[in-house]
Amino acid sequence: MAAQGRRIDRVYNALLWRMMGTVTHVTTQDPVVALTFDDGPHPESTPRLLDILEKHGAHATFFMVGEAAQRHPDIVRRVAEAGHAIGNHSWDHSSLPLLSGKERRAQIRACEKALAPYGQRLFRPPYGHQSLASRLDALGLGYQVVTWSVTASDWQDRDAQWITDRLTDETSPGDIVLFHDALYTYVEKRYTDREPTLQAVDLLLECLGERFRFVTVPELLRSGEPQRRNWYQEADVDWLNRLGGAFGEPRRYVRSSGR
Ligand SMILES: [Zn+2]
């Protein structure tokens, strides 16, 4: 009986982990990597990025902000028709742990509606901020939460060569790489320039095109064993409140508003 109990415990824990863990990468024998692009669609940089990906025969995943997607449904459609995957990045890029449960679920649902019929049930939390409650909300709405294992740091002051050199060294099979085809909120306005990101993607695909196949997140997840982490990151309210917004004044938070 004790052995059976332990077995049930193991199955239960594995199931719970599968439901509650956050996917960061996969372990795989295949030379596959998933590039991901957050915060778009953007009317200028996203179409240019699509051309670069097409030139290299690469596929990617776009975690879109619902409000931006609603303004550019033609770009959402173009991304999907080019064979890329589209995931949910909330309605207006709010830090979800600081909202009420009702507001959080409304954020995910409103984005889902803006991405329909192209959005997949993949969610990336804005800023990577996640609490147990916000993770449960994504689960309740049927979403798999996907973050990353490598970042381009392209929301900061980085040039294309710096991004490319680092990613060329750091990228391994099974990685999920974080880029931004837009910055919905920014630390400094000049960082919203997407030229370094676009150049870096072009250079990176040139350098690594022989070594890796660039696939969407759903394809990557099928290529190996998804690796999950307990990914809980608290929001830094003071930092959030200093950010600028690319489309008007962003949300301001009060420390006690989280539930
Ligand atoms: Zn974002």
Side-chain angles (χ1 to χ4, degrees), residues 38-39 89 93 180:
D38 289 8
D39 288 23
H89 197 41
H93 210 275
H180 292 81

Side-chain angles (χ1 to χ4, degrees), residues 57-100:
H59 284 122
T61 303
F62 292 75
F63 287 95
M64 294 184 178
V65 176
E67 190 272 327
Q70 192 177 56
R71 271 185 286 117
H72 303 290
D74 48 323
I75 305 177
V76 179
R77 191 179 61 243
R78 196 183 147 193
V79 169
E81 285 175 352
H84 305 294
I86 297 177
N88 188 315
H89 197 41
S90 84
W91 171 252
D92 66 1
H93 210 275
S94 292
S95 175
L96 296 194
L98 295 174
L99 308 186
S100 70

Side-chain angles (χ1 to χ4, degrees), residues 28-184:
T28 175
Q29 302 297 325
D30 298 341
V32 283
V33 167
L35 302 184
T36 65
F37 296 92
D38 289 8
D39 288 23
H42 187 280
E44 282 146 36
S45 46
T46 307
R48 285 184 60 203
L49 175 61
L50 290 176
D51 292 343
I52 293 167
L53 293 170
E54 190 184 347
K55 180 175 109 184
H56 295 280
H59 284 122
T61 303
F62 292 75
F63 287 95
M64 294 184 178
V65 176
E67 190 272 327
Q70 192 177 56
R71 271 185 286 117
H72 303 290
D74 48 323
I75 305 177
V76 179
R77 191 179 61 243
R78 196 183 147 193
V79 169
E81 285 175 352
H84 305 294
I86 297 177
N88 188 315
H89 197 41
S90 84
W91 171 252
D92 66 1
H93 210 275
S94 292
S95 175
L96 296 194
L98 295 174
L99 308 186
S100 70
K102 196 175 166 193
E103 286 173 308
R104 281 195 297 267
R105 292 185 291 277
Q107 284 273 337
I108 298 174
R109 284 200 193 99
C111 181
E112 182 175 310
K113 208 169 156 193
L115 300 180
Y118 305 111
Q120 305 205 25
R121 288 200 120 59
L122 302 170
F123 181 71
R124 175 165 284 168
Y127 310 103
H129 292 166
Q130 186 166 248
S131 61
L132 184 60
S134 72
R135 179 66 189 83
L136 281 167
D137 284 331
L139 177 70
L141 293 172
Y143 280 83
Q144 167 123 266
V145 179
V146 178
T147 52
W148 55 82
S149 50
V150 177
T151 92
S153 299
D154 64 345
W155 62 94
Q156 295 168 322
D157 192 11
R158 305 294 187 196
D159 66 34
Q161 198 60 54
W162 185 92
I163 296 173
T164 311
D165 289 348
R166 245 183 77 253
L167 292 182
T168 307
D169 288 347
E170 288 184 8
T171 307
S172 316
D175 271 330
I176 298 176
V177 186
L178 168 67
F179 278 101
H180 292 81
D181 56 333
L183 286 185
Y184 201 79

